[in-house]
Amino acid sequence: MPVGTQGAVKGVTHRDLESLGAEILLSNTYHLYLRPGDDLIARRGGLHKFIGWTKPILTDSGGYQVFSLATRRTIAEEGAHFRSHLDGSAHLLTPEKAADIQAQLGSDIAMVLDECLAHPDSADARAIARHSMERTVRWACRARDRFLALRDGLVPNVVVSNPGQAQFGIVQGSLFPDLREESARQTVAIGFDAYAIGGLSVGETSDVMYDIVARTTPCLPADRPRYLMGTGTPLDLVESVARGIDLFDCVLPTRNARNGQLFTSEGKLNIKNACFAEDDRPVDPGCGCYTCRTCSRAYLRHLFVANEINAATLNTLHNLNFYLDTLSRIRDAIAFGRFESFRVAFHQSFSRLPLDS
Amino acid sequence: MPVGTQGAVKGVTHRDLESLGAEILLSNTYHLYLRPGDDLIARRGGLHKFIGWTKPILTDSGGYQVFSLATRRTIAEEGAHFRSHLDGSAHLLTPEKAADIQAQLGSDIAMVLDECLAHPDSADARAIARHSMERTVRWACRARDRFLALRDGLVPNVVVSNPGQAQFGIVQGSLFPDLREESARQTVAIGFDAYAIGGLSVGETSDVMYDIVARTTPCLPADRPRYLMGTGTPLDLVESVARGIDLFDCVLPTRNARNGQLFTSEGKLNIKNACFAEDDRPVDPGCGCYTCRTCSRAYLRHLFVANEINAATLNTLHNLNFYLDTLSRIRDAIAFGRFESFRVAFHQSFSRLPLDS
């Protein structure tokens, strides 16, 4: 899922996304709640109508941004008290409030409010992780109750912009496999439309993350999509699919594009490097995106160095194409029973370029 | 001509421009000379190949930016000494050098180096204007000689990237009609492929500008395009066409788009105004551009207020469409012999909106 934080994927239009084959967009509840507000969006008929995107949208719960962006946040059993990073105004995000906001936004998939822990590094990390995991399960119960009440029209003063909205639960448990398994069992017991794995990509090594994913996915129903939140590098996608993941969101392709880092079949390259100043080749000779079809590395480097907006657009088009195309090739490989050979070839190819400096 | 200062129109890709019907692009010699350099672009095969734009390109001479952007510039008969606004390096731009750079860039239309005066407000403005106009004519002679020598392959160490390049002369003379007529006669006598009017839109009122244009165009050949440089508002386009102008370039549609000012058939509006926060209408109900087909004023205001890059893209698409569509409608009106009625209707419609605050 390309990330459209504030209802737009930075640097590319919706028609660009559709031409890239994007089938679903992620948008951020925290940002849209603060600006322009879920009430305003509900009055516009929901997020799809407001932003003019007709394909599916997933909204997060807002929790991750509250924990990372908001100022002076305190977490209690009730929910998370925080101050807006925009104007310092005070807010309370509860599991019920997160469900209400997403009902008003009318996304196709709503996420439950969960608590995201930082990378565990204290002596009592395990106790903290258990406490937090258990609270996340209690919050998930409250979120599900609220979601069902919203669906049944039992919550006054909240507009349900999309009656067909689904709700995903989130597995937590930090880097402790047994806590992850326990979280997964209890979250599945509540009964959601599908399940996500949260709280990874917070500083642990890839191997540790892959292990946690491998230990968690067997505890999630095989007939429901499994969503790994906030991940990751192209190799993370391949390795996580190998461990049972179906759905991803990540700002890497878009954010790194704006910083000049481009993903190719042979690895990463930084377009601002002087070695590209007179390089007439496309970013990735094997890529069919608009940027690679029409722009040389020399031109892209010039645009980046000259601070042209178009550098962001052209780089983002390429990186999103690379991510979406990689997933598309993974789906094909699975369908044709040759995922393992794809996986080996992808690793070999992706480690070829030593140019990301 | 949309303005692609550094080889890109800010916020929109070449395919966007082509879908808008843009038939020619303006690019800035001063900027490209300093970065990435005309030598580098010549080694890429010229500006068309470097930026991937196959339709015509007009390059200015670099003079306007030297007079307005460069630091510590001094003008002598030889040319203009200046220091780069990027790194303070010293350069000399002569009529010959401006022709050489544009030969290396390989644009389809090259402009001669002229001297652009600021708005005249001193007691000796007329003497200054005459002195400057006469120098511009002498520079035009030198520029033409150099251009012909380049075409004949007589200038060593300069790559002629586009053997079919044309060269336009520029009429100066400040706001003095007789100096304008004298400049036009002398410039036409040198013999260029076509002619431009420079040194307007420098702070004079519209009426004064229209008068100068009306006095100048009769002195220019009827069988050659007449180009009014750096102009202007939508009304300026209509009024200048009425006085014999064929070609324009202006940053207004693109720069103002990035500042939130949108042009519509009923006048200008500033999309950041609070009155648009819940306005579900398109920017211009009569417009068929991508932005108006898919985005509400409410969404565009949100993107602008939230500092999203896409605000620049979507606003620019609309404003360029408005400008190009206005010119297209002017061409149709002329072809069907109803330009005068178009002109009256355009004025009436364009003064309708009081929302540009």
Side-chain angles (χ1 to χ4, degrees):
Chain A
M1 294 181 285
V3 176
T5 300
Q6 304 189 99
V9 177
K10 293 184 199 306
V12 294
T13 61
H14 295 341
R15 68 174 168 186
D16 290 333
L17 290 173
E18 282 169 13
S19 76
L20 291 171
E23 294 174 359
I24 175 169
L25 206 66
L26 180 141
S27 208
N28 289 107
T29 293
Y30 170 84
H31 287 282
L32 294 172
Y33 161 69
L34 291 179
R35 183 174 62 191
D38 51 308
D39 288 331
L40 184 147
I41 291 174
R43 286 194 295 273
R44 308 274 73 68
L47 190 56
H48 290 84
K49 283 191 184 163
F50 179 58
I51 73 173
W53 172 259
T54 54
K55 290 187 163 68
I57 298 173
L58 180 147
T59 45
D60 62 7
S61 68
Y64 183 81
Q65 272 78 28
V66 165
F67 298 122
S68 61
L69 264 185
T71 56
R72 285 194 288 170
R73 57 168 180 76
T74 56
I75 296 150
E77 185 62 23
E78 182 188 18
H81 291 268
F82 67 96
R83 290 189 177 274
S84 160
H85 74 293
L86 294 175
D87 61 7
S89 56
H91 301 268
L92 169 63
L93 187 66
T94 64
E96 293 80 10
K97 181 72 180 172
D100 291 354
I101 298 170
Q102 293 176 86
Q104 297 222 117
L105 296 177
S107 55
D108 300 281
I109 299 171
M111 302 302 297
V112 298
L113 182 65
D114 61 334
E115 186 179 0
C116 300
L117 290 181
H119 185 64
D121 50 7
S122 62
D124 54 351
R126 186 182 170 82
I128 292 171
R130 166 165 289 284
H131 180 258
S132 170
M133 181 274 280
E134 290 175 349
R135 180 148 68 197
T136 288
V137 171
R138 291 192 299 275
W139 282 5
C141 283
R142 288 166 53 188
R144 189 64 187 173
D145 287 345
R146 185 63 156 217
F147 177 82
L148 296 174
L150 285 160
R151 179 181 280 179
D152 292 341
L154 302 176
V155 183
N157 302 322
V158 175
V159 177
V160 177
S161 298
N162 180 0
Q165 188 178 58
Q167 188 186 40
F168 285 13
I170 303 177
V171 175
Q172 286 288 349
S174 190
L175 304 183
F176 304 98
D178 58 324
L179 295 185
R180 285 279 172 184
E181 289 173 1
E182 194 175 329
S183 170
R185 276 196 305 275
Q186 295 185 21
T187 307
V188 171
I190 298 170
F192 289 96
D193 297 300
Y195 302 88
I197 300 176
L200 292 179
S201 287
V202 293
E204 75 281 8
T205 65
S206 293
D207 285 342
V208 168
M209 181 176 83
Y210 299 159
D211 281 348
I212 293 289
V213 170
R215 287 286 292 268
T216 308
T217 49
C219 307
L220 300 174
D223 63 342
R224 304 295 169 98
R226 299 165 183 145
Y227 163 29
L228 181 57
M229 303 181 79
T231 299
T233 68
L235 293 179
D236 288 343
L237 303 190
V238 174
E239 289 308 304
S240 300
V241 167
R243 288 160 177 79
I245 297 294
D246 304 290
L247 188 60
F248 302 89
D249 80 279
C250 190
V251 295
L252 267 191
T254 44
R255 180 183 293 159
N256 290 23
R258 299 196 302 282
N259 295 329
Q261 188 186 65
L262 298 171
F263 295 97
T264 84
S265 55
E266 304 194 338
K268 297 173 285 182
L269 60 82
N270 249 304
I271 199 64
K272 60 176 168 283
N273 284 352
C275 63
F276 299 124
E278 307 224 11
D279 190 335
D280 294 325
R281 292 174 295 171
V283 169
D284 187 346
C287 176
C289 82
Y290 172 73
T291 303
C292 286
R293 286 199 317 276
T294 62
C295 302
S296 66
R297 295 174 179 183
Y299 181 49
L300 292 173
R301 177 179 190 271
H302 164 66
L303 293 179
F304 188 87
V305 171
N307 284 316
E308 283 286 331
I309 301 178
N310 304 40
T313 296
L314 293 165
N315 292 349
T316 301
L317 283 176
H318 170 76
N319 274 358
L320 280 179
N321 185 77
F322 181 77
Y323 266 66
L324 293 167
D325 183 58
T326 297
L327 267 302
S328 172
R329 287 160 64 212
I330 288 175
R331 287 192 293 273
D332 287 348
I334 292 171
F336 287 101
R338 47 173 178 74
F339 176 73
E340 277 308 316
S341 61
F342 169 87
R343 183 182 175 184
V344 171
F346 190 87
H347 273 268
Q348 284 176 343
S349 175
F350 197 72
S351 55
R352 221 168 275 165
L353 268 186
L355 290 169
D356 182 46
S357 57
Chain B
M1 294 180 284
V3 177
T5 300
Q6 305 189 100
V9 177
K10 291 182 199 307
V12 293
T13 60
H14 295 342
R15 69 175 167 185
D16 290 333
L17 290 173
E18 283 170 11
S19 76
L20 291 170
E23 294 174 358
I24 176 170
L25 205 65
L26 180 140
S27 210
N28 290 108
T29 293
Y30 170 84
H31 288 281
L32 294 173
Y33 161 68
L34 292 179
R35 184 175 61 193
D38 52 307
D39 288 331
L40 185 148
I41 291 174
R43 286 194 295 272
R44 307 274 74 67
L47 191 55
H48 290 84
K49 283 189 185 164
F50 178 58
I51 73 172
W53 173 260
T54 55
K55 291 187 161 69
I57 298 173
L58 180 147
T59 43
D60 62 9
S61 68
Y64 184 81
Q65 272 78 26
V66 166
F67 298 122
S68 61
L69 264 186
T71 56
R72 285 192 289 171
R73 55 167 183 76
T74 55
I75 295 147
E77 186 62 24
E78 182 188 17
H81 292 267
F82 68 96
R83 289 189 177 272
S84 161
H85 73 292
L86 293 176
D87 61 5
S89 55
H91 301 267
L92 169 63
L93 186 67
T94 65
E96 293 80 10
K97 179 72 180 171
D100 291 353
I101 298 170
Q102 292 176 86
Q104 297 222 115
L105 296 177
S107 54
D108 300 280
I109 300 171
M111 302 301 299
V112 299
L113 182 67
D114 60 335
E115 186 179 1
C116 299
L117 290 181
H119 185 65
D121 50 8
S122 63
D124 55 350
R126 186 182 170 81
I128 292 173
R130 166 166 289 285
H131 180 258
S132 169
M133 181 273 283
E134 290 175 346
R135 181 149 67 195
T136 288
V137 170
R138 291 192 299 275
W139 282 3
C141 283
R142 289 166 53 188
R144 189 65 188 171
D145 287 346
R146 184 65 156 216
F147 176 84
L148 296 174
L150 284 161
R151 177 181 282 180
D152 293 340
L154 303 175
V155 182
N157 302 323
V158 175
V159 177
V160 177
S161 299
N162 179 359
Q165 189 179 59
Q167 187 186 42
F168 285 13
I170 303 177
V171 175
Q172 287 288 350
S174 189
L175 304 183
F176 304 98
D178 58 322
L179 294 186
R180 286 279 172 182
E181 289 173 3
E182 195 175 327
S183 170
R185 275 196 306 276
Q186 294 186 22
T187 308
V188 170
I190 298 170
F192 289 95
D193 297 300
Y195 302 90
I197 300 176
L200 291 179
S201 287
V202 293
E204 74 281 10
T205 66
S206 292
D207 284 344
V208 169
M209 180 175 83
Y210 299 159
D211 282 349
I212 294 290
V213 169
R215 287 288 291 271
T216 308
T217 50
C219 307
L220 299 175
D223 63 343
R224 303 294 169 100
R226 299 162 181 148
Y227 163 30
L228 181 57
M229 302 181 79
T231 299
T233 68
L235 293 177
D236 288 343
L237 303 190
V238 174
E239 288 310 302
S240 298
V241 168
R243 288 160 178 81
I245 297 295
D246 304 290
L247 188 60
F248 302 90
D249 80 283
C250 190
V251 294
L252 266 192
T254 43
R255 179 182 294 161
N256 291 22
R258 297 196 303 281
N259 295 328
Q261 187 184 67
L262 298 171
F263 295 96
T264 84
S265 56
E266 302 195 339
K268 296 173 286 183
L269 60 81
N270 248 303
I271 200 64
K272 61 177 168 280
N273 284 351
C275 63
F276 299 125
E278 308 224 10
D279 191 334
D280 294 324
R281 292 174 296 172
V283 169
D284 187 345
C287 176
C289 81
Y290 172 74
T291 304
C292 286
R293 285 200 318 275
T294 61
C295 302
S296 66
R297 296 174 178 181
Y299 181 50
L300 292 173
R301 177 180 189 270
H302 164 66
L303 292 179
F304 188 87
V305 171
N307 285 315
E308 283 286 332
I309 301 178
N310 305 40
T313 296
L314 293 165
N315 292 348
T316 301
L317 283 176
H318 170 77
N319 274 359
L320 281 178
N321 186 76
F322 182 77
Y323 266 65
L324 292 167
D325 183 59
T326 297
L327 268 302
S328 172
R329 288 159 65 211
I330 288 174
R331 287 193 293 273
D332 286 348
I334 292 170
F336 286 102
R338 50 174 175 73
F339 176 74
E340 278 309 315
S341 61
F342 168 87
R343 180 181 178 186
V344 171
F346 190 88
H347 274 268
Q348 285 175 341
S349 175
F350 197 72
S351 56
R352 221 169 273 166
L353 268 186
L355 291 172
D356 183 45
S357 58

